[in-house]
Short mmCIF file of all heavy atoms in Angstrom, two decimals:
data_model
loop_
_atom_site.label_atom_id
_atom_site.label_comp_id
_atom_site.label_asym_id
_atom_site.label_seq_id
_atom_site.Cartn_x
_atom_site.Cartn_y
_atom_site.Cartn_z
N MET N 20 -43.57 -4.52 -20.50
CA MET N 20 -42.66 -5.54 -20.10
C MET N 20 -41.33 -5.33 -20.81
O MET N 20 -41.33 -5.02 -21.97
CB MET N 20 -43.27 -6.87 -20.45
CG MET N 20 -42.36 -8.05 -20.04
SD MET N 20 -42.93 -9.63 -20.74
CE MET N 20 -44.22 -10.05 -19.54
N SER N 21 -40.23 -5.52 -20.15
CA SER N 21 -38.92 -5.40 -20.75
C SER N 21 -38.16 -6.70 -20.63
O SER N 21 -38.30 -7.42 -19.64
CB SER N 21 -38.13 -4.24 -20.10
OG SER N 21 -37.85 -4.58 -18.78
N ALA N 22 -37.37 -6.96 -21.65
CA ALA N 22 -36.54 -8.21 -21.67
C ALA N 22 -35.27 -7.94 -20.79
O ALA N 22 -34.70 -6.85 -20.86
CB ALA N 22 -36.17 -8.57 -23.05
N ARG N 23 -34.90 -8.92 -20.04
CA ARG N 23 -33.68 -8.83 -19.25
C ARG N 23 -32.72 -9.98 -19.74
O ARG N 23 -33.14 -11.06 -19.92
CB ARG N 23 -33.95 -9.03 -17.78
CG ARG N 23 -34.90 -7.98 -17.15
CD ARG N 23 -34.34 -6.64 -17.08
NE ARG N 23 -33.31 -6.62 -16.04
CZ ARG N 23 -32.64 -5.52 -15.75
NH1 ARG N 23 -32.84 -4.43 -16.35
NH2 ARG N 23 -31.69 -5.55 -14.85
N VAL N 24 -31.49 -9.64 -19.85
CA VAL N 24 -30.48 -10.60 -20.27
C VAL N 24 -29.63 -10.95 -19.06
O VAL N 24 -29.12 -10.06 -18.36
CB VAL N 24 -29.58 -10.02 -21.39
CG1 VAL N 24 -28.49 -11.02 -21.73
CG2 VAL N 24 -30.44 -9.67 -22.62
N GLN N 25 -29.45 -12.21 -18.84
CA GLN N 25 -28.59 -12.67 -17.72
C GLN N 25 -27.19 -12.71 -18.19
O GLN N 25 -26.88 -13.19 -19.28
CB GLN N 25 -29.03 -14.11 -17.24
CG GLN N 25 -30.44 -14.17 -16.65
CD GLN N 25 -30.53 -13.27 -15.41
OE1 GLN N 25 -29.64 -13.24 -14.58
NE2 GLN N 25 -31.60 -12.57 -15.29
N PRO N 26 -26.26 -12.16 -17.45
CA PRO N 26 -24.86 -12.14 -17.88
C PRO N 26 -24.27 -13.54 -17.90
O PRO N 26 -24.55 -14.36 -17.09
CB PRO N 26 -24.14 -11.27 -16.82
CG PRO N 26 -25.03 -11.31 -15.64
CD PRO N 26 -26.42 -11.55 -16.13
N ASP N 27 -23.42 -13.78 -18.89
CA ASP N 27 -22.66 -15.03 -19.02
C ASP N 27 -21.40 -15.01 -18.16
O ASP N 27 -20.97 -16.08 -17.75
CB ASP N 27 -22.24 -15.26 -20.48
CG ASP N 27 -23.42 -15.54 -21.39
OD1 ASP N 27 -24.41 -16.10 -20.93
OD2 ASP N 27 -23.32 -15.24 -22.56
N ALA N 28 -20.86 -13.88 -17.93
CA ALA N 28 -19.57 -13.77 -17.22
C ALA N 28 -19.76 -13.30 -15.83
O ALA N 28 -20.74 -12.66 -15.51
CB ALA N 28 -18.65 -12.77 -18.00
N GLN N 29 -18.75 -13.63 -15.03
CA GLN N 29 -18.69 -13.08 -13.63
C GLN N 29 -17.66 -11.97 -13.60
O GLN N 29 -16.57 -12.13 -14.13
CB GLN N 29 -18.30 -14.18 -12.65
CG GLN N 29 -19.27 -15.33 -12.56
CD GLN N 29 -18.81 -16.42 -11.61
OE1 GLN N 29 -17.79 -16.28 -10.99
NE2 GLN N 29 -19.50 -17.52 -11.57
N VAL N 30 -18.06 -10.84 -13.02
CA VAL N 30 -17.16 -9.71 -13.01
C VAL N 30 -16.88 -9.29 -11.54
O VAL N 30 -17.84 -9.19 -10.78
CB VAL N 30 -17.74 -8.53 -13.73
CG1 VAL N 30 -16.84 -7.28 -13.73
CG2 VAL N 30 -18.08 -8.91 -15.17
N GLN N 31 -15.63 -9.06 -11.21
CA GLN N 31 -15.23 -8.53 -9.90
C GLN N 31 -14.48 -7.28 -10.13
O GLN N 31 -13.43 -7.27 -10.75
CB GLN N 31 -14.36 -9.55 -9.17
CG GLN N 31 -15.02 -10.90 -8.92
CD GLN N 31 -14.03 -11.92 -8.32
OE1 GLN N 31 -12.84 -11.65 -8.19
NE2 GLN N 31 -14.58 -13.07 -7.96
N MET N 32 -15.00 -6.16 -9.66
CA MET N 32 -14.38 -4.85 -9.83
C MET N 32 -14.12 -4.23 -8.45
O MET N 32 -14.94 -4.46 -7.54
CB MET N 32 -15.31 -3.90 -10.65
CG MET N 32 -15.79 -4.46 -11.98
SD MET N 32 -14.53 -4.43 -13.21
CE MET N 32 -14.30 -2.70 -13.52
N ARG N 33 -13.03 -3.51 -8.32
CA ARG N 33 -12.75 -2.79 -7.09
C ARG N 33 -11.78 -1.64 -7.36
O ARG N 33 -11.03 -1.68 -8.32
CB ARG N 33 -12.21 -3.71 -6.01
CG ARG N 33 -10.90 -4.29 -6.29
CD ARG N 33 -10.39 -5.21 -5.13
NE ARG N 33 -9.51 -6.19 -5.66
CZ ARG N 33 -9.77 -7.45 -5.92
NH1 ARG N 33 -10.99 -7.88 -5.67
NH2 ARG N 33 -8.90 -8.26 -6.40
N LEU N 34 -11.78 -0.65 -6.47
CA LEU N 34 -10.94 0.47 -6.56
C LEU N 34 -9.61 0.14 -5.97
O LEU N 34 -9.52 -0.35 -4.83
CB LEU N 34 -11.56 1.67 -5.88
CG LEU N 34 -10.74 2.98 -5.88
CD1 LEU N 34 -10.63 3.48 -7.30
CD2 LEU N 34 -11.39 4.01 -4.95
N ASN N 35 -8.50 0.36 -6.70
CA ASN N 35 -7.14 0.17 -6.22
C ASN N 35 -6.76 1.48 -5.50
O ASN N 35 -6.58 2.44 -6.17
CB ASN N 35 -6.19 -0.14 -7.37
CG ASN N 35 -4.81 -0.40 -6.92
OD1 ASN N 35 -4.34 0.08 -5.89
ND2 ASN N 35 -4.11 -1.24 -7.67
N PRO N 36 -6.61 1.44 -4.19
CA PRO N 36 -6.30 2.64 -3.46
C PRO N 36 -4.93 3.22 -3.79
O PRO N 36 -4.72 4.44 -3.67
CB PRO N 36 -6.38 2.25 -1.98
CG PRO N 36 -6.25 0.73 -1.96
CD PRO N 36 -6.69 0.27 -3.28
N ARG N 37 -4.00 2.43 -4.22
CA ARG N 37 -2.62 2.92 -4.59
C ARG N 37 -2.68 3.74 -5.90
O ARG N 37 -1.94 4.73 -6.01
CB ARG N 37 -1.63 1.80 -4.73
CG ARG N 37 -1.32 1.20 -3.33
CD ARG N 37 -0.25 0.08 -3.48
NE ARG N 37 -0.94 -1.07 -4.10
CZ ARG N 37 -0.32 -2.02 -4.67
NH1 ARG N 37 1.01 -2.01 -4.79
NH2 ARG N 37 -0.95 -3.04 -5.22
N THR N 38 -3.45 3.29 -6.88
CA THR N 38 -3.47 3.95 -8.18
C THR N 38 -4.67 4.86 -8.37
O THR N 38 -4.69 5.70 -9.25
CB THR N 38 -3.44 2.92 -9.33
OG1 THR N 38 -4.64 2.14 -9.24
CG2 THR N 38 -2.25 2.01 -9.24
N GLY N 39 -5.73 4.62 -7.57
CA GLY N 39 -6.97 5.37 -7.74
C GLY N 39 -7.82 4.91 -8.92
O GLY N 39 -8.73 5.53 -9.34
N ARG N 40 -7.43 3.75 -9.50
CA ARG N 40 -8.15 3.21 -10.69
C ARG N 40 -9.02 2.05 -10.28
O ARG N 40 -8.75 1.33 -9.33
CB ARG N 40 -7.18 2.72 -11.74
CG ARG N 40 -6.35 3.84 -12.32
CD ARG N 40 -5.43 3.28 -13.35
NE ARG N 40 -4.66 4.36 -13.98
CZ ARG N 40 -4.16 4.31 -15.19
NH1 ARG N 40 -4.31 3.23 -15.88
NH2 ARG N 40 -3.51 5.35 -15.68
N VAL N 41 -10.08 1.87 -11.03
CA VAL N 41 -10.93 0.73 -10.86
C VAL N 41 -10.35 -0.42 -11.68
O VAL N 41 -10.03 -0.26 -12.83
CB VAL N 41 -12.38 1.03 -11.33
CG1 VAL N 41 -13.22 -0.22 -11.26
CG2 VAL N 41 -13.02 2.12 -10.50
N GLU N 42 -10.14 -1.54 -11.04
CA GLU N 42 -9.57 -2.72 -11.69
C GLU N 42 -10.50 -3.88 -11.53
O GLU N 42 -11.29 -3.92 -10.58
CB GLU N 42 -8.21 -3.05 -11.05
CG GLU N 42 -7.20 -1.92 -11.15
CD GLU N 42 -5.90 -2.23 -10.42
OE1 GLU N 42 -5.85 -3.25 -9.71
OE2 GLU N 42 -4.96 -1.42 -10.58
N GLY N 43 -10.44 -4.82 -12.43
CA GLY N 43 -11.31 -5.90 -12.35
C GLY N 43 -10.83 -7.16 -13.07
O GLY N 43 -9.91 -7.11 -13.84
N VAL N 44 -11.55 -8.24 -12.84
CA VAL N 44 -11.36 -9.51 -13.47
C VAL N 44 -12.66 -10.01 -14.03
O VAL N 44 -13.68 -9.94 -13.33
CB VAL N 44 -10.79 -10.55 -12.45
CG1 VAL N 44 -10.65 -11.95 -13.06
CG2 VAL N 44 -9.45 -10.08 -11.86
N VAL N 45 -12.67 -10.44 -15.25
CA VAL N 45 -13.85 -10.99 -15.93
C VAL N 45 -13.64 -12.47 -16.16
O VAL N 45 -12.62 -12.87 -16.80
CB VAL N 45 -14.18 -10.29 -17.26
CG1 VAL N 45 -15.41 -10.84 -17.88
CG2 VAL N 45 -14.29 -8.77 -17.04
N LEU N 46 -14.49 -13.33 -15.61
CA LEU N 46 -14.38 -14.76 -15.83
C LEU N 46 -15.50 -15.24 -16.76
O LEU N 46 -16.68 -15.06 -16.45
CB LEU N 46 -14.50 -15.47 -14.46
CG LEU N 46 -13.41 -15.13 -13.41
CD1 LEU N 46 -13.74 -15.84 -12.12
CD2 LEU N 46 -12.04 -15.51 -13.97
N PHE N 47 -15.09 -15.81 -17.90
CA PHE N 47 -16.07 -16.30 -18.86
C PHE N 47 -16.26 -17.79 -18.66
O PHE N 47 -15.30 -18.49 -18.34
CB PHE N 47 -15.61 -15.99 -20.25
CG PHE N 47 -15.55 -14.54 -20.61
CD1 PHE N 47 -14.38 -13.82 -20.46
CD2 PHE N 47 -16.68 -13.87 -21.02
CE1 PHE N 47 -14.32 -12.47 -20.73
CE2 PHE N 47 -16.64 -12.54 -21.30
CZ PHE N 47 -15.46 -11.82 -21.20
N PRO N 48 -17.48 -18.31 -18.88
CA PRO N 48 -17.74 -19.73 -18.59
C PRO N 48 -17.10 -20.70 -19.54
O PRO N 48 -16.75 -21.82 -19.17
CB PRO N 48 -19.26 -19.83 -18.64
CG PRO N 48 -19.67 -18.69 -19.55
CD PRO N 48 -18.66 -17.60 -19.27
N LYS N 49 -16.86 -20.30 -20.80
CA LYS N 49 -16.22 -21.23 -21.76
C LYS N 49 -15.63 -20.43 -22.89
O LYS N 49 -15.95 -19.26 -23.04
CB LYS N 49 -17.32 -22.22 -22.31
CG LYS N 49 -18.43 -21.55 -23.02
CD LYS N 49 -19.47 -22.61 -23.42
CE LYS N 49 -20.63 -21.92 -24.14
NZ LYS N 49 -21.65 -22.80 -24.54
N PRO N 50 -14.74 -21.03 -23.64
CA PRO N 50 -14.11 -20.34 -24.79
C PRO N 50 -15.17 -19.96 -25.85
O PRO N 50 -16.22 -20.60 -25.97
CB PRO N 50 -13.12 -21.37 -25.37
CG PRO N 50 -12.91 -22.33 -24.25
CD PRO N 50 -14.15 -22.34 -23.47
N GLY N 51 -14.86 -18.92 -26.60
CA GLY N 51 -15.73 -18.49 -27.66
C GLY N 51 -15.86 -16.98 -27.73
O GLY N 51 -15.24 -16.26 -26.92
N PRO N 52 -16.61 -16.48 -28.68
CA PRO N 52 -16.75 -15.03 -28.80
C PRO N 52 -17.87 -14.53 -27.85
O PRO N 52 -18.84 -15.20 -27.59
CB PRO N 52 -17.25 -14.85 -30.25
CG PRO N 52 -17.93 -16.14 -30.61
CD PRO N 52 -17.25 -17.20 -29.77
N TYR N 53 -17.62 -13.34 -27.32
CA TYR N 53 -18.57 -12.70 -26.41
C TYR N 53 -18.66 -11.20 -26.80
O TYR N 53 -17.67 -10.61 -27.30
CB TYR N 53 -18.09 -12.71 -24.93
CG TYR N 53 -18.14 -14.10 -24.37
CD1 TYR N 53 -17.08 -14.99 -24.50
CD2 TYR N 53 -19.28 -14.55 -23.65
CE1 TYR N 53 -17.13 -16.28 -24.00
CE2 TYR N 53 -19.33 -15.82 -23.12
CZ TYR N 53 -18.23 -16.65 -23.29
OH TYR N 53 -18.31 -17.95 -22.74
N PHE N 54 -19.86 -10.59 -26.63
CA PHE N 54 -20.02 -9.18 -26.79
C PHE N 54 -20.11 -8.61 -25.37
O PHE N 54 -21.09 -8.84 -24.65
CB PHE N 54 -21.30 -8.89 -27.57
CG PHE N 54 -21.49 -7.45 -27.86
CD1 PHE N 54 -20.60 -6.74 -28.72
CD2 PHE N 54 -22.55 -6.73 -27.33
CE1 PHE N 54 -20.81 -5.39 -28.99
CE2 PHE N 54 -22.74 -5.40 -27.58
CZ PHE N 54 -21.84 -4.74 -28.41
N LEU N 55 -19.05 -7.91 -24.94
CA LEU N 55 -18.96 -7.39 -23.60
C LEU N 55 -19.49 -6.00 -23.56
O LEU N 55 -19.08 -5.12 -24.32
CB LEU N 55 -17.49 -7.40 -23.14
CG LEU N 55 -17.13 -6.94 -21.76
CD1 LEU N 55 -17.75 -7.84 -20.73
CD2 LEU N 55 -15.63 -6.90 -21.60
N VAL N 56 -20.41 -5.72 -22.60
CA VAL N 56 -20.97 -4.40 -22.39
C VAL N 56 -20.83 -4.04 -20.92
O VAL N 56 -21.34 -4.78 -20.10
CB VAL N 56 -22.45 -4.31 -22.84
CG1 VAL N 56 -23.04 -2.91 -22.54
CG2 VAL N 56 -22.65 -4.72 -24.24
N MET N 57 -20.15 -2.97 -20.66
CA MET N 57 -20.01 -2.52 -19.28
C MET N 57 -20.61 -1.15 -19.13
O MET N 57 -20.33 -0.25 -19.92
CB MET N 57 -18.52 -2.47 -18.88
CG MET N 57 -17.86 -3.84 -18.93
SD MET N 57 -16.18 -3.87 -18.29
CE MET N 57 -16.51 -3.68 -16.56
N LEU N 58 -21.45 -1.01 -18.09
CA LEU N 58 -22.07 0.30 -17.78
C LEU N 58 -21.36 0.84 -16.56
O LEU N 58 -21.13 0.09 -15.60
CB LEU N 58 -23.57 0.08 -17.49
CG LEU N 58 -24.37 -0.67 -18.54
CD1 LEU N 58 -25.76 -0.92 -18.07
CD2 LEU N 58 -24.34 0.03 -19.84
N GLY N 59 -21.06 2.11 -16.62
CA GLY N 59 -20.34 2.74 -15.50
C GLY N 59 -20.97 4.01 -15.02
O GLY N 59 -21.66 4.70 -15.78
N ARG N 60 -20.82 4.28 -13.79
CA ARG N 60 -21.26 5.57 -13.18
C ARG N 60 -20.24 5.98 -12.14
O ARG N 60 -19.48 5.15 -11.66
CB ARG N 60 -22.66 5.43 -12.60
CG ARG N 60 -22.78 4.49 -11.43
CD ARG N 60 -24.21 4.39 -10.96
NE ARG N 60 -24.37 3.84 -9.67
CZ ARG N 60 -24.32 2.55 -9.33
NH1 ARG N 60 -24.15 1.67 -10.25
NH2 ARG N 60 -24.49 2.12 -8.09
N PRO N 61 -20.16 7.29 -11.80
CA PRO N 61 -19.14 7.75 -10.91
C PRO N 61 -19.30 7.18 -9.51
O PRO N 61 -20.40 6.95 -9.01
CB PRO N 61 -19.32 9.26 -10.94
CG PRO N 61 -20.67 9.50 -11.39
CD PRO N 61 -21.05 8.34 -12.26
N LEU N 62 -18.19 6.97 -8.85
CA LEU N 62 -18.17 6.67 -7.42
C LEU N 62 -18.59 7.89 -6.64
O LEU N 62 -18.41 9.02 -7.16
CB LEU N 62 -16.78 6.23 -7.00
CG LEU N 62 -16.30 4.89 -7.58
CD1 LEU N 62 -14.82 4.68 -7.32
CD2 LEU N 62 -17.11 3.74 -7.01
N PRO N 63 -19.05 7.80 -5.42
CA PRO N 63 -19.37 8.96 -4.68
C PRO N 63 -18.21 9.94 -4.55
O PRO N 63 -17.08 9.51 -4.32
CB PRO N 63 -19.75 8.38 -3.30
CG PRO N 63 -20.15 7.01 -3.56
CD PRO N 63 -19.30 6.52 -4.72
N GLY N 64 -18.48 11.21 -4.81
CA GLY N 64 -17.43 12.18 -4.77
C GLY N 64 -16.65 12.40 -6.00
O GLY N 64 -15.78 13.26 -6.13
N ARG N 65 -16.86 11.57 -7.04
CA ARG N 65 -16.11 11.66 -8.30
C ARG N 65 -16.99 12.40 -9.32
O ARG N 65 -18.19 12.34 -9.29
CB ARG N 65 -15.81 10.23 -8.86
CG ARG N 65 -15.02 9.43 -7.97
CD ARG N 65 -13.58 9.91 -7.89
NE ARG N 65 -12.80 9.04 -6.98
CZ ARG N 65 -11.52 8.84 -7.08
NH1 ARG N 65 -10.86 9.42 -8.05
NH2 ARG N 65 -10.92 8.02 -6.25
N GLN N 66 -16.35 13.07 -10.20
CA GLN N 66 -17.05 13.91 -11.22
C GLN N 66 -16.78 13.44 -12.62
O GLN N 66 -16.07 14.04 -13.42
CB GLN N 66 -16.62 15.39 -11.09
CG GLN N 66 -16.93 16.01 -9.76
CD GLN N 66 -18.43 16.12 -9.48
OE1 GLN N 66 -19.21 16.41 -10.41
NE2 GLN N 66 -18.81 15.79 -8.25
N ILE N 67 -17.29 12.24 -12.95
CA ILE N 67 -17.18 11.74 -14.33
C ILE N 67 -18.55 11.42 -14.84
O ILE N 67 -19.45 11.10 -14.03
CB ILE N 67 -16.24 10.50 -14.42
CG1 ILE N 67 -16.86 9.33 -13.67
CG2 ILE N 67 -14.84 10.79 -13.99
CD1 ILE N 67 -16.23 8.00 -13.99
N PRO N 68 -18.81 11.55 -16.10
CA PRO N 68 -20.13 11.20 -16.63
C PRO N 68 -20.33 9.69 -16.67
O PRO N 68 -19.36 8.95 -16.82
CB PRO N 68 -20.17 11.79 -18.03
CG PRO N 68 -18.72 11.85 -18.43
CD PRO N 68 -17.95 12.05 -17.12
N PRO N 69 -21.61 9.22 -16.58
CA PRO N 69 -21.84 7.78 -16.76
C PRO N 69 -21.39 7.41 -18.17
O PRO N 69 -21.27 8.23 -19.06
CB PRO N 69 -23.38 7.69 -16.65
CG PRO N 69 -23.78 8.89 -15.93
CD PRO N 69 -22.82 9.97 -16.30
N PHE N 70 -21.01 6.10 -18.32
CA PHE N 70 -20.50 5.64 -19.62
C PHE N 70 -20.99 4.20 -19.96
O PHE N 70 -21.43 3.50 -19.08
CB PHE N 70 -18.98 5.73 -19.64
CG PHE N 70 -18.31 4.76 -18.72
CD1 PHE N 70 -18.00 3.47 -19.12
CD2 PHE N 70 -18.03 5.19 -17.42
CE1 PHE N 70 -17.40 2.58 -18.26
CE2 PHE N 70 -17.44 4.32 -16.54
CZ PHE N 70 -17.12 2.99 -16.91
N VAL N 71 -20.87 3.89 -21.22
CA VAL N 71 -21.07 2.51 -21.72
C VAL N 71 -19.87 2.18 -22.51
O VAL N 71 -19.44 2.86 -23.43
CB VAL N 71 -22.36 2.44 -22.62
CG1 VAL N 71 -22.52 1.08 -23.16
CG2 VAL N 71 -23.57 2.92 -21.87
N MET N 72 -19.25 1.00 -22.20
CA MET N 72 -18.11 0.49 -22.92
C MET N 72 -18.53 -0.83 -23.59
O MET N 72 -19.15 -1.66 -22.93
CB MET N 72 -16.91 0.23 -22.01
CG MET N 72 -15.72 -0.24 -22.74
SD MET N 72 -14.37 -0.68 -21.65
CE MET N 72 -14.79 -2.39 -21.22
N GLN N 73 -18.28 -0.95 -24.89
CA GLN N 73 -18.67 -2.16 -25.64
C GLN N 73 -17.43 -2.71 -26.33
O GLN N 73 -16.61 -1.93 -26.87
CB GLN N 73 -19.74 -1.81 -26.71
CG GLN N 73 -20.98 -1.22 -26.05
CD GLN N 73 -21.98 -0.87 -27.15
OE1 GLN N 73 -22.02 -1.46 -28.18
NE2 GLN N 73 -22.80 0.14 -26.80
N ALA N 74 -17.26 -4.04 -26.30
CA ALA N 74 -16.15 -4.67 -26.97
C ALA N 74 -16.52 -6.10 -27.35
O ALA N 74 -17.27 -6.77 -26.67
CB ALA N 74 -14.93 -4.69 -26.03
N ILE N 75 -15.97 -6.54 -28.46
CA ILE N 75 -16.04 -7.95 -28.84
C ILE N 75 -14.81 -8.63 -28.28
O ILE N 75 -13.69 -8.19 -28.48
CB ILE N 75 -16.19 -8.14 -30.33
CG1 ILE N 75 -17.45 -7.46 -30.83
CG2 ILE N 75 -16.11 -9.62 -30.72
CD1 ILE N 75 -17.58 -7.39 -32.33
N VAL N 76 -15.05 -9.71 -27.54
CA VAL N 76 -13.94 -10.45 -26.90
C VAL N 76 -13.93 -11.87 -27.36
O VAL N 76 -14.95 -12.53 -27.44
CB VAL N 76 -14.13 -10.41 -25.35
CG1 VAL N 76 -13.08 -11.22 -24.67
CG2 VAL N 76 -14.18 -9.02 -24.84
N GLN N 77 -12.75 -12.39 -27.74
CA GLN N 77 -12.57 -13.79 -28.14
C GLN N 77 -11.86 -14.47 -26.96
O GLN N 77 -10.70 -14.15 -26.71
CB GLN N 77 -11.82 -13.92 -29.44
CG GLN N 77 -11.59 -15.34 -29.85
CD GLN N 77 -12.86 -16.08 -30.24
OE1 GLN N 77 -13.72 -15.51 -30.85
NE2 GLN N 77 -12.96 -17.34 -29.87
N VAL N 78 -12.51 -15.38 -26.27
CA VAL N 78 -11.90 -16.13 -25.18
C VAL N 78 -11.32 -17.42 -25.72
O VAL N 78 -12.05 -18.20 -26.34
CB VAL N 78 -12.92 -16.43 -24.05
CG1 VAL N 78 -12.36 -17.23 -22.95
CG2 VAL N 78 -13.54 -15.11 -23.54
N LEU N 79 -10.00 -17.60 -25.53
CA LEU N 79 -9.34 -18.77 -26.02
C LEU N 79 -9.31 -19.87 -25.00
O LEU N 79 -9.31 -19.60 -23.79
CB LEU N 79 -7.93 -18.42 -26.44
CG LEU N 79 -7.75 -17.37 -27.50
CD1 LEU N 79 -6.31 -16.99 -27.71
CD2 LEU N 79 -8.43 -17.77 -28.78
N PRO N 80 -9.29 -21.19 -25.43
CA PRO N 80 -9.17 -22.27 -24.45
C PRO N 80 -7.87 -22.26 -23.77
O PRO N 80 -6.84 -21.81 -24.33
CB PRO N 80 -9.36 -23.51 -25.29
CG PRO N 80 -9.19 -23.15 -26.68
CD PRO N 80 -9.34 -21.65 -26.79
N ARG N 81 -7.83 -22.71 -22.51
CA ARG N 81 -6.55 -22.72 -21.74
C ARG N 81 -5.70 -23.87 -22.16
O ARG N 81 -6.05 -24.87 -22.57
CB ARG N 81 -6.85 -22.82 -20.28
CG ARG N 81 -7.49 -21.62 -19.76
CD ARG N 81 -7.68 -21.70 -18.29
NE ARG N 81 -6.67 -20.72 -17.81
CZ ARG N 81 -6.45 -20.48 -16.56
NH1 ARG N 81 -7.08 -21.12 -15.64
NH2 ARG N 81 -5.61 -19.58 -16.20
#
């Protein structure tokens, strides 16, 4: 059995055809510290290795 963690944030990612870059918006439910982990893999036809990006994020109140 493996533990699964439900994400706190909503992420919307898409490829920008003008720049060729993946861009996104991350929406956090409330202010506070978060440990953000993003897993990536290449799009079809792309030659990049899979990756893991980790960052500590402090979300401030609006």
Side-chain angles (χ1 to χ4, degrees):
M20 180 189 280
S21 66
R23 301 291 289 181
V24 176
Q25 295 299 318
D27 291 330
Q29 297 177 6
V30 180
Q31 298 174 356
M32 306 286 290
R33 67 178 153 259
L34 180 65
N35 182 330
R37 289 183 288 160
T38 64
R40 294 181 177 208
V41 175
E42 299 175 353
V44 175
V45 181
L46 300 175
F47 294 95
K49 60 184 179 180
Y53 290 87
F54 184 66
L55 181 64
V56 178
M57 296 186 74
L58 308 174
R60 64 183 197 280
L62 293 168
R65 302 288 181 151
Q66 298 296 320
I67 65 167
F70 65 89
V71 176
M72 183 184 83
Q73 301 177 27
I75 297 172
V76 178
Q77 179 68 39
V78 177
L79 301 175
R81 293 186 108 181

